Amino acid sequence: MKLSHQFYASPQLSDSTSRTLPTPNLAFHSPSTECGVRPHVKSGRIVGGKGSTFGAFPWQVLVRESTWLGLFTKNKCGGVLITSRYVITAAHCQPGFLASLVAVMGEFDISGDLESKRSITKNVKRVIVHRQYDPATFENDLALLELDSPVSFDTHIVPICMPNDVADFTGRMATVTGWGRLKYGGGVPSVLQEVQVPIIENSVCQEMFHTAGHNKKILTSFLCAGYANGQKDSCEGDSGGPLVLQRPDGRYELAGTVSHGIKCAAPYLPGVYMRTTFYKPWLRSITGVK
């Protein structure tokens, strides 16, 4: 992250690529029902484009691709835990030929097992790609990963809350997290990165893309976040990861998931996310999430 997204998810698109407030001390009462809480974070503010701290984003998932019967695995995308059995990611993160996906929950530093609590890895039993996904436009760039067995929630493994059906986050600051590239064409971090970006009204986002000379259509199902001058953004490797905001009750909810962009943190080219409220009926029909 630059957090700057770039995802060459589709060969026909050479340049279109895929990709707080003081926190109240919320008690971790019932691991089975609490969503959007951060038991490891007592207080403090998020600063853009910095390394996170262990357990600060317990809904973050690392999606890895396994090939040759597990002989080779590579970090592929981000994801977000929404129930004990389901993870949201991007449709363009689906596995390649003869490959399978694994989901790692509770991960923080991917360079080794240095954390105070161990991450949990689950095989993905089923990849449910949105039927109307269009790799040429990234429309409906959403997929659900069904885990082969439920993950047990813990202080560092917590599902994100769903937003209200009619929630509008325009103008608010949101936080995007991931292990994606630190800049366009740059290296990848070992520690989970976080950055704050403002959510932009779709019509303004559309104008920004036009100003940059791109005729990309910003659909109602899309959500844009970023700055006119670039600077902060998601980047290649962040795709499928969460864009979250804090609710008045202190919990966090999912505004969108990283989809795509053009380069990373480039002027007038904000990051494009899948808008969670638009896809709630689809998510609910498969997972039952409210």
Side-chain angles (χ1 to χ4, degrees):
M1 262 192 191
K2 182 158 179 182
L3 260 155
S4 333
H5 11 171
Q6 175 93 6
F7 264 92
Y8 288 102
S10 170
Q12 67 266 42
L13 285 184
S14 59
D15 68 342
S16 198
T17 60
S18 52
R19 314 178 244 219
T20 60
L21 297 165
T23 306
N25 187 359
L26 293 170
F28 198 64
H29 301 301
S30 168
S32 61
T33 56
E34 295 280 6
C35 67
V37 296
R38 308 201 298 172
H40 284 267
V41 179
K42 298 295 182 263
S43 64
R45 293 175 181 272
I46 288 170
V47 181
K50 296 290 176 68
S52 177
T53 56
F54 173 72
F57 300 96
W59 41 81
Q60 176 78 43
V61 177
L62 175 63
V63 178
R64 310 192 77 214
E65 186 175 63
S66 174
T67 52
W68 293 96
L69 299 174
L71 200 57
F72 297 102
T73 59
K74 66 176 182 180
N75 298 335
K76 189 175 182 77
C77 282
V80 56
L81 189 67
I82 60 168
T83 74
S84 63
R85 203 181 268 275
Y86 286 97
V87 169
I88 300 177
T89 191
H92 72 259
C93 294
Q94 58 191 295
F97 182 63
L98 292 181
S100 60
L101 297 180
V102 294
V104 187
M105 277 68 63
E107 185 59 281
F108 172 65
D109 186 339
I110 56 178
S111 66
D113 292 319
L114 308 172
E115 296 88 355
S116 56
K117 289 186 165 233
R118 299 294 296 270
S119 60
I120 295 178
T121 300
K122 295 280 187 184
N123 289 323
V124 173
K125 180 169 76 174
R126 192 164 57 124
V127 180
I128 307 160
V129 176
H130 196 288
R131 284 181 181 170
Q132 277 81 51
Y133 167 55
D134 183 348
T137 62
F138 291 103
E139 187 171 1
N140 306 307
D141 186 17
L142 213 60
L144 280 162
L145 309 181
E146 184 181 359
L147 308 178
D148 65 352
S149 62
V151 64
S152 297
F153 299 150
D154 202 335
T155 54
H156 67 314
I157 301 174
V158 177
I160 192 67
C161 297
M162 286 290 115
N164 184 292
D165 287 10
V166 294
D168 180 9
F169 304 117
T170 303
R172 291 188 56 192
M173 293 297 289
T175 303
V176 59
T177 49
W179 291 274
R181 296 190 186 278
L182 296 172
K183 65 179 181 180
Y184 180 50
V188 293
S190 59
V191 170
L192 181 67
Q193 301 289 301
E194 58 173 274
V195 72
Q196 281 197 305
V197 285
I199 293 176
I200 305 166
E201 188 177 353
N202 277 27
S203 60
V204 175
C205 181
Q206 184 71 78
E207 279 302 310
M208 288 169 72
F209 271 85
H210 284 163
T211 300
H214 287 271
N215 59 3
K216 175 178 182 60
K217 184 166 174 54
I218 302 300
L219 307 169
T220 55
S221 57
F222 291 176
L223 181 149
C224 297
Y227 294 89
N229 61 357
Q231 294 187 335
K232 299 175 181 181
D233 199 356
S234 46
C235 201
E236 184 179 359
D238 293 324
S239 278
L243 177 75
V244 302
L245 299 98
Q246 195 170 23
R247 298 196 315 208
D249 67 1
R251 296 192 196 186
Y252 284 78
E253 59 189 354
L254 187 67
T257 46
V258 180
S259 174
H260 63 286
I262 295 168
K263 297 191 176 179
C264 306
Y268 299 107
L269 296 172
V272 181
Y273 300 76
M274 292 296 106
R275 189 182 292 271
T276 306
T277 51
F278 186 90
Y279 292 101
K280 272 188 73 179
W282 181 75
L283 294 169
R284 190 182 296 125
S285 69
I286 298 167
T287 69
V289 71
K290 294 287 187 277

